[in-house]
Amino acid sequence: MEEIIKKIKTEVETFVIENANHVEEFRLKFISKKGLVTELFEQLKHLTKEEKQKVGKILNELKQFAEAKFTEAQTNVAASHKKNSQAIDFTLPPVPDKTGNLHPLTLTRNRIIEIFERLGFSVADGPEIEDDWHNFSALNFPPNHPAREMQDTFFIEKNPEILLRTHTSNVQVRLMNQQKPPIRAIMPGRVYRNEAISARAHCFFHQVEGLYVDKNVGFADLKQTLYHFAKEMYGHDTKIRFRPSYFPFTEPSAEIDISCLICKGKGCNVCKHTGWVEIAGSGMVHPNVLRNCGIDPEEYTGFAFGMGIERVTMLRYQVNDLRLYSENDIRFLKQFKTVVS
Ligand code: DAH
């Protein structure tokens, strides 16, 4: 039996432990309930009393030796695992950066700018906090026009002369005050209205205003410009129609509809079964507006239009709820990752 113990001791000594699997193999082979060392203790009972004492002693030494090796190996493996997991492996491929993407409204705004820039329009900007003159009075709003009333406009309580602009048309006024015709500009920006938030309305939204003032600008120029825009934006099959309308700052005025892109004119919920959806307001700049801005209406004429970027984007990407634009839900926003504006 002493021979066997010696043999097993050599095996314990030479057993190579390099990882957690080896630790477990070692335990099973030698010190578990069915391990070789444990089995040897079983065999002690076949020996005489004196032999038992002698063999028992060396067997105990073997057991302690095996257990010590096991504990040490366990500690070493755990330590080296920790070290490895902290080390940087420069050979691994890099973890890709999570890059964001442009907001759908920005994509659409950029596309609108691109289309009009090619027609020679420049981009102008103006303040969102505005006074009554630039937002209303200069644009020929009569003093009692309903748009001035509290339910539509956010006024500043301490000074009702100051308000949050309700449209980007204020930039028209500022531009005409600053520049001499010819003026050809588009004016994207944020506007505010005191409306309850729903799928179709929000207390703020975005518009792009367009203005062209020069000698001999006529309604045909307006029509052709917006016709071109609709085709560039929505494809060459898009149909466009002008509906007579009223705005204080244009005369004549027209609302512009395009054929519904969702049902292709057959009639659906989006176009309220008419086959047409409104995308912009427009008209010939009212002579009073030109005069208010120091431009002689006998010498110059102009056209103007304004459209909602949210609406244009809804039709472009089939977005059915305005609130999605400002909720910052990543599941919505990341869908525009591969969209090139
Ligand atoms: N300002 C109008 C609105 O907010 C849109 C508009 C209509 C702008 C006609 C214009 C225009 O410049 O000529 O509903």
Side-chain angles (χ1 to χ4, degrees):
M1 189 149 172
E2 285 173 58
E3 278 302 298
I4 304 175
I5 295 175
K6 227 179 183 177
K7 194 174 149 259
I8 293 180
K9 183 160 186 227
T10 321
E11 272 187 53
V12 170
E13 271 171 350
T14 52
F15 195 103
V16 181
I17 306 181
E18 281 174 340
N19 58 36
N21 286 345
H22 296 162
V23 174
E24 181 60 5
E25 279 164 26
F26 181 89
R27 190 187 68 82
L28 287 173
K29 181 164 181 188
F30 299 109
I31 54 179
S32 69
K33 268 189 187 160
K34 287 182 182 164
L36 291 174
V37 178
T38 324
E39 255 174 33
L40 287 176
F41 276 99
E42 283 290 303
Q43 288 175 27
L44 281 180
K45 60 182 178 238
H46 305 301
L47 303 178
T48 64
K49 216 176 173 189
E50 293 91 72
E51 277 176 331
K52 237 187 224 167
Q53 264 189 352
K54 193 172 162 225
V55 177
K57 194 166 165 263
I58 45 172
L59 197 53
N60 261 329
E61 279 167 11
L62 172 62
K63 187 183 171 211
Q64 276 163 18
F65 179 71
E67 278 174 353
K69 176 160 175 157
F70 172 74
T71 319
E72 193 191 332
Q74 219 177 15
T75 328
N76 287 347
V77 165
S80 87
H81 179 73
K82 200 172 164 204
K83 201 170 138 208
N84 283 343
S85 63
Q86 280 169 353
I88 299 169
D89 184 347
F90 290 103
T91 63
L92 285 174
V95 181
D97 269 348
K98 278 194 185 148
T99 49
N101 51 279
L102 292 176
H103 191 279
L105 294 178
T106 309
L107 291 170
T108 303
R109 189 195 58 197
N110 291 353
R111 179 73 186 128
I112 296 172
I113 292 174
E114 199 176 84
I115 295 170
F116 284 104
E117 271 183 340
R118 277 196 219 145
L119 295 178
F121 284 76
S122 55
V123 179
D125 202 4
E128 291 175 21
I129 302 172
E130 194 46 285
D131 54 35
D132 179 274
W133 171 256
H134 290 95
N135 195 81
F136 292 131
S137 297
L139 289 161
N140 200 33
F141 276 80
N144 57 353
H145 193 279
R148 286 170 183 249
E149 284 174 18
M150 297 302 275
Q151 71 265 30
D152 284 327
T153 310
F154 289 110
F155 289 96
I156 306 294
E157 213 168 55
K158 281 191 185 156
N159 181 1
E161 277 297 299
I162 310 291
L163 46 90
L164 295 179
R165 67 174 175 192
T166 56
H167 49 192
T168 41
S169 309
N170 66 325
V171 194
Q172 278 189 40
V173 177
R174 290 182 174 272
L175 210 60
M176 287 191 278
N177 277 330
Q178 285 161 12
Q179 287 180 21
K180 278 194 157 31
I183 297 169
R184 193 158 37 179
I186 54 165
M187 299 145 250
R190 182 175 276 198
V191 302
Y192 302 84
R193 286 185 200 179
N194 189 6
E195 296 198 42
I197 297 170
S198 73
R200 297 177 64 89
H202 209 317
C203 55
F204 68 82
F205 58 100
H206 300 80
Q207 287 189 334
V208 175
E209 189 94 2
L211 175 70
Y212 181 25
V213 182
D214 202 352
K215 288 179 177 154
N216 298 320
V217 176
F219 202 85
D221 300 307
L222 166 64
K223 265 186 113 169
Q224 199 52 42
T225 304
L226 287 164
Y227 195 51
H228 173 77
F229 164 75
K231 293 198 167 227
E232 284 294 301
M233 188 55 132
Y234 294 115
H236 284 252
D237 299 336
T238 315
K239 293 194 191 71
I240 186 167
R241 80 174 180 187
F242 285 69
R243 246 180 320 112
S245 184
Y246 170 78
F247 297 103
F249 35 93
T250 44
E251 183 62 36
S253 301
E255 249 150 337
I256 298 154
D257 299 338
I258 57 162
S259 51
C260 182
L261 299 156
I262 299 176
C263 63
K264 306 269 179 261
K266 287 195 198 85
C268 69
N269 281 342
V270 173
C271 62
K272 297 196 201 121
H273 301 281
T274 62
W276 296 94
V277 268
E278 185 198 320
I279 56 156
S282 69
M284 299 307 294
V285 181
H286 197 291
N288 286 351
V289 175
L290 292 173
R291 224 172 274 124
N292 286 340
C293 300
I295 294 173
D296 181 1
E298 298 296 325
E299 195 180 353
Y300 294 103
T301 49
F303 70 71
F305 58 87
M307 63 182 103
I309 303 183
E310 276 79 353
R311 169 60 72 88
V312 176
T313 310
M314 273 180 145
L315 294 168
R316 190 176 184 209
Y317 300 129
Q318 264 109 70
V319 178
N320 60 5
D321 192 321
L322 210 80
R323 288 167 290 199
L324 287 165
Y325 294 133
S326 50
E327 276 170 353
N328 275 345
D329 188 331
I330 206 88
R331 290 168 301 180
F332 171 70
L333 296 172
K334 75 178 178 194
Q335 293 179 50
F336 302 90
K337 197 157 196 145
T338 52
V339 175
V340 180
S341 85

